[in-house]
Amino acid sequence: MTARGSCVVVGAGPWGLAAAVALREAGHAVRLLDDGRHAAGHAAAGMLGPWSETEPGRPDLRDELFRAAAAWPDFAAGLSSDGSDTGYHPSGTIHVAIGGEQIGPLRRRAEQMTRPDDDHRWLGGRALRALDSGIGPGVGGGIHLPDEHQVDPRRLITALAARAERAGVERLSAAAARIDMVDGRARGVHDDAGTLHPGRVVLAAGWRSAELSDRVPLRGVKGQIIRLRADSVTDLPCRHIIRTGDVYVVPRPSGEVVIGATMEERTDRHALAGDVHRLLEDAFRAVPGLSELPIVETSAGVRPAPADGAPALGRDADDVIWATGGFRHGILLAPLVGTAACAAVAGEPIAISAWDPARFTPTVPRTAAAT
Ligand SMILES: Cc1cc2nc3c(=O)[nH]c(=O)nc-3n(C[C@H](O)[C@H](O)[C@H](O)COP(=O)(O)OP(=O)(O)OC[C@H]3O[C@@H](n4cnc5c(N)ncnc54)[C@H](O)[C@@H]3O)c2cc1C
């Protein structure tokens, strides 16, 4: 492989790993720094839900979410061809309304969000229970999304890390402390031991990317999440991902069942008794059989959320390549990251203009990429 230049990637979460793999496979020498603090990806549920995640009035995001979902089968197959298992599982998703008061809002959302090519039919409670017998008697109706699947983010991270290692990415346990700037351009990263790692800088440190550059206004949004375990796939209390307005339940073939998640404007990683209690209560109303399973973990992660809700995936005015801002859908979007990072390093125009990090500094003239 011909070396095409050095890159230093900060952060070995799903986005940093996806970028590192793609850059290495494109012929760059890649050094990957990670400080070993848990990634948001470690907490994540792994729902691949483009419809579920789209907010009304965000067509830019919707189209990319659907594009990412369509890319997932090949992305997972590519990783599993190495012998890794991402836990990609075509479970489908059911949005349910509990009690009469939730039916109106869910129906309205379905009407607002449906595209002509979507096949989202409203089903009554009895029909939903015929589809998934785990759905509780208090569910009055809902929508079946047969194309919204799941992946196991922890397995995904392991699979990407193995792929990176095999490809020859040099991984270091180190915290990036600051970006090295020369004549207004990023030329490398200093770690907290003072060592300079030279190369094109790819900033994929999740919400903590904001500690290294303020070019993208980024905040952390905490999510608490619970993991239960069934003895086997036949003991799972439901087969589909079940979502209400308040909570989701993700049953995995491994027997793991994930219940999440809170959305909080804070960055600590404690799981609090009261929040765990509320999540469980809401989840039991949707899927009563959950109450029979042992709790194996309560945890929290912090989502990277840019000020305008869209990711930052491209080159900023300091020549830093941003690869973060996946917010609630960073696992879903992971298949789009590698190609975008390679294009940014090559100085190509960003394919998804709404995600250009330079949108936050429009007065700074763009310069040609330093290669
Ligand atoms: C509770 C919860 C549930 C979620 N569920 C879903 C879901 O169902 N579907 C979905 O698509 N998304 C989901 N997400 C969102 C998803 O997890 C994130 O968008 C995604 O993990 C972002 O990936 P990332 O690589 O940008 O950041 P992260 O996953 O946060 O990884 C960042 C990495 O950078 C490292 N790092 C940070 N600072 C430094 C530094 N200075 N030096 C070196 N390393 C550093 C960190 O240790 C970490 O390893 C969820 C998130 C949470 C919290």
Side-chain angles (χ1 to χ4, degrees):
M1 187 180 290
T2 327
R4 297 181 62 192
S6 299
C7 298
V8 50
V9 179
V10 182
W15 284 37
L17 284 163
V21 165
L23 287 165
R24 181 68 195 124
E25 292 181 350
H28 298 276
V30 179
R31 190 169 284 183
L32 174 62
L33 305 189
D34 192 84
D35 63 4
R37 287 163 65 177
H38 276 177
H42 188 78
M47 296 175 293
L48 308 175
W51 186 90
S52 303
E53 285 298 314
T54 303
E55 292 157 24
R58 290 303 304 266
D60 55 322
L61 197 52
R62 180 192 64 192
D63 291 350
E64 298 308 331
L65 293 172
F66 275 94
R67 191 160 72 88
W72 252 100
D74 283 350
F75 188 62
L79 289 167
S80 62
S81 67
D82 295 346
S84 295
D85 176 11
T86 59
Y88 178 77
H89 175 57
S91 55
T93 295
I94 302 176
H95 279 254
V96 300
I98 300 172
E101 76 280 7
Q102 290 191 4
I103 289 186
L106 183 57
R107 264 190 186 263
R108 273 195 296 283
R109 178 153 182 255
E111 281 155 19
Q112 275 171 356
M113 310 278 292
T114 300
R115 303 190 305 186
D117 55 334
D118 285 340
D119 179 23
H120 299 151
R121 282 175 303 128
W122 182 266
L123 298 172
R126 195 173 301 168
L128 289 179
R129 279 180 286 279
L131 206 55
D132 194 317
S133 58
I135 292 174
V139 169
I143 309 157
H144 179 211
L145 305 176
D147 297 327
E148 298 221 338
H149 302 318
Q150 60 168 290
V151 66
D152 182 337
R154 293 180 181 177
R155 291 187 184 200
L156 169 67
I157 290 173
T158 304
L160 284 167
R163 175 73 160 263
E165 188 180 352
R166 266 193 301 278
V169 169
E170 183 190 357
R171 181 166 176 160
L172 300 178
S173 294
R178 69 185 169 85
I179 295 172
D180 186 52
M181 299 296 297
V182 178
D183 296 333
R185 290 188 138 183
R187 290 286 190 236
V189 169
H190 294 269
D191 69 22
D192 56 354
T195 306
L196 171 65
H197 305 277
R200 299 298 306 276
V201 178
V202 179
L203 193 48
W207 74 274
R208 286 190 292 127
S209 301
E211 293 168 3
L212 295 164
S213 168
D214 60 4
R215 288 293 191 190
V216 172
L218 194 66
R219 65 190 204 285
V221 178
K222 175 182 171 184
Q224 300 180 52
I225 196 155
I226 305 160
R227 284 173 161 82
L228 316 180
R229 179 155 292 283
D231 286 338
S232 71
V233 67
T234 50
D235 295 320
L236 288 170
C238 56
R239 290 184 299 110
H240 298 77
I241 297 170
I242 307 293
R243 299 180 73 139
T244 77
D246 303 311
V247 75
Y248 53 74
V249 176
V250 183
R252 302 202 200 286
S254 64
E256 182 177 79
V257 183
V258 183
I259 299 173
T262 60
M263 291 276 288
E264 302 163 69
E265 298 284 333
R266 49 192 293 169
T267 57
D268 66 273
R269 291 188 34 245
H270 302 297
L272 301 182
D275 294 318
V276 167
H277 175 79
R278 270 184 292 279
L279 284 170
L280 288 173
E281 223 172 33
D282 289 337
F284 293 165
R285 292 172 76 199
V287 183
L290 288 166
S291 63
E292 303 296 322
L293 298 182
I295 298 175
V296 292
E297 184 185 306
T298 56
S299 60
V302 183
R303 309 170 182 92
D308 60 3
L313 195 49
R315 190 165 52 95
D316 74 9
D318 296 331
D319 215 17
V320 170
I321 289 137
W322 287 75
T324 191
F327 193 29
R328 294 168 52 106
H329 23 260
I331 303 298
L332 167 59
L333 291 172
L336 307 187
V337 172
T339 311
C342 288
V345 167
E348 291 164 13
I350 182 156
I352 310 165
S353 54
W355 297 6
D356 188 342
R359 68 189 184 273
F360 295 110
T361 47
T363 52
V364 179
R366 302 299 303 262
T367 51
T371 45

